[in-house]
């Protein structure tokens, strides 16, 4: 043996075996691939004004103004092509992190649709025996639901900011929720849906409730 120890120094110390350790034979895992730079772009539609300052996006159109904050994302967000294009850029990102670029573009696209067309959620009152009674109050900002499964309790649901609710003129037992912000509009529909859930019964048999039947943008 040399002055630096035995030639069997790499032999496994467990059980006195003279075979090399398995952890020495195992190759190191390859590091995840990183993309040098990735970019997504989005065209600004006509009749829409957009400003971006420190990842705060403000969009204005015929139906009002919407704001959204993207400061929590490690991306570069700016206007290009004389303000006719939005670009989102990301450096040294892994493949899963790159997905946020497309997500940001989708969020901004929803802002464009909101200020141009508005979002609409249609909900149907579904009942087998006890007819559900929905009353719109407070100028379309509040819904009161009565007689759900014959209960005496009045369920009051306040719409979120910028959202209005109304009864459908052409369809029986249908309410329509409209708003410019897709988040507030969809969450208002969810609040109505969750206010009348069937408790302590088999939900496959008791299908009463208020359900979203369709959603999308309002046609001009």
């Amino acid at each position: 043996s040399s002055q630096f120890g035995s030639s069997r120094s790499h032999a496994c110390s467990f059980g006195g075996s003279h075979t090399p350790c398995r952890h020495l034979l195992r190759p190191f895992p390859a590091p995840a691939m990183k993309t040098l730079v990735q970019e997504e772009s989005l065209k600004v539609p006509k009749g829409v004004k957009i400003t971006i300052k420190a990842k705060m996006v403000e969009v204005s159109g015929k139906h009002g103004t919407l704001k959204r904050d993207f400061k929590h994302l490690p991306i570069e967000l700016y206007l290009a092509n004389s303000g006719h294009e939005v670009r989102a850029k990301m450096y040294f990102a892994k493949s899963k992190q790159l997905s946020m670029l497309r997500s940001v573009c989708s969020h901004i696209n929803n802002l464009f649709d909101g200020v141009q067309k508005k979002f609409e959620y249609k909900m149907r009152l579904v009942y087998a025996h006890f007819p559900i009674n929905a009353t719109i109050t407070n100028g379309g900002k509040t819904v009161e639901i009565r007689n759900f499964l014959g209960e005496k309790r009045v369920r009051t649901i306040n719409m979120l900011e910028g959202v209005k609710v109304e009864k459908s003129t052409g369809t029986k037992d249908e309410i329509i929720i409209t708003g410019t912000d897709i988040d507030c509009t969809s969450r208002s529909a969810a609040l109505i849906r969750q206010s009348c859930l069937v408790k302590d019964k088999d939900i496959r048999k008791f299908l009463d409730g208020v359900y979203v039947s369709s959603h999308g943008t309002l046609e001009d």
Side-chain angles (χ1 to χ4, degrees), residues 44-125:
V44 179
K46 282 183 180 179
V48 172
K49 187 184 174 187
I50 179 170
T51 56
I52 300 172
K53 188 175 180 181
K55 289 193 260 191
M56 271 288 291
V57 179
E58 188 173 330
V59 177
S60 301
K62 64 178 181 180
H63 290 303
T65 304
L66 292 174
K67 288 182 182 178
R68 187 142 191 158
D69 189 359
F70 295 106
K71 286 181 182 175
H72 61 288
L73 298 176
I75 62 167
E76 204 176 279
L77 202 59
Y78 60 97
L79 288 171
N81 198 5
S82 304
H84 296 296
E85 198 175 38
V86 181
R87 285 188 186 166
K89 199 184 275 187
M90 200 172 188
Y91 297 94
F92 304 112
K94 294 178 184 177
S95 56
K96 282 190 178 178
Q97 293 170 326
L98 290 173
S99 61
M100 70 178 73
L101 284 177
R102 193 69 233 158
S103 297
V104 167
C105 289
S106 297
H107 285 312
I108 295 172
N109 204 37
N110 284 333
L111 297 180
F112 292 156
D113 285 345
V115 296
Q116 278 187 304
K117 306 174 189 173
K118 281 195 175 183
F119 290 98
E120 177 185 68
Y121 278 70
K122 291 183 178 179
M123 302 187 81
R124 296 295 296 268
L125 311 174

Side-chain angles (χ1 to χ4, degrees), residues 196-209:
C196 10
L197 298 175
V198 178
K199 302 289 174 71
D200 303 324
K201 292 182 178 66
D202 187 353
I203 56 170
R204 296 170 298 180
K205 177 73 177 172
F206 292 85
L207 300 170
D208 293 31

Side-chain angles (χ1 to χ4, degrees), residues 11-202:
C12 191
S13 58
F14 299 104
S17 171
H18 297 302
T19 55
C21 288
R22 285 185 180 175
H23 68 267
L24 294 173
L25 298 174
R26 193 180 299 135
F28 290 105
M33 283 289 287
K34 285 190 175 183
T35 310
L36 206 61
V37 60
Q38 180 88 358
E39 190 172 307
E40 287 279 350
S41 62
L42 186 68
K43 284 188 178 178
V44 179
K46 282 183 180 179
V48 172
K49 187 184 174 187
I50 179 170
T51 56
I52 300 172
K53 188 175 180 181
K55 289 193 260 191
M56 271 288 291
V57 179
E58 188 173 330
V59 177
S60 301
K62 64 178 181 180
H63 290 303
T65 304
L66 292 174
K67 288 182 182 178
R68 187 142 191 158
D69 189 359
F70 295 106
K71 286 181 182 175
H72 61 288
L73 298 176
I75 62 167
E76 204 176 279
L77 202 59
Y78 60 97
L79 288 171
N81 198 5
S82 304
H84 296 296
E85 198 175 38
V86 181
R87 285 188 186 166
K89 199 184 275 187
M90 200 172 188
Y91 297 94
F92 304 112
K94 294 178 184 177
S95 56
K96 282 190 178 178
Q97 293 170 326
L98 290 173
S99 61
M100 70 178 73
L101 284 177
R102 193 69 233 158
S103 297
V104 167
C105 289
S106 297
H107 285 312
I108 295 172
N109 204 37
N110 284 333
L111 297 180
F112 292 156
D113 285 345
V115 296
Q116 278 187 304
K117 306 174 189 173
K118 281 195 175 183
F119 290 98
E120 177 185 68
Y121 278 70
K122 291 183 178 179
M123 302 187 81
R124 296 295 296 268
L125 311 174
V126 179
Y127 51 86
H129 186 269
F130 295 102
I132 299 171
N133 179 21
T135 311
I136 313 295
T137 58
N138 198 12
K141 292 183 179 179
T142 307
V143 187
E144 291 178 354
I145 294 173
R146 291 178 171 84
N147 202 35
F148 173 68
L149 290 180
E151 294 175 12
K152 298 291 180 192
R153 183 163 81 87
V154 178
R155 291 164 164 81
T156 305
I157 307 103
N158 294 311
M159 298 294 100
L160 297 174
E161 190 181 350
V163 180
K164 276 203 162 189
V165 61
E166 59 186 7
K167 281 192 172 182
S168 173
T169 52
T171 312
K172 183 176 176 281
D173 293 329
E174 184 177 69
I175 56 175
I176 299 170
I177 298 151
T178 53
T180 54
D181 191 339
I182 191 171
D183 282 357
C184 291
T185 311
S186 57
R187 280 167 55 203
S188 297
L191 289 172
I192 296 173
R193 161 86 180 88
Q194 290 169 345
S195 70
C196 10
L197 298 175
V198 178
K199 302 289 174 71
D200 303 324
K201 292 182 178 66
D202 187 353

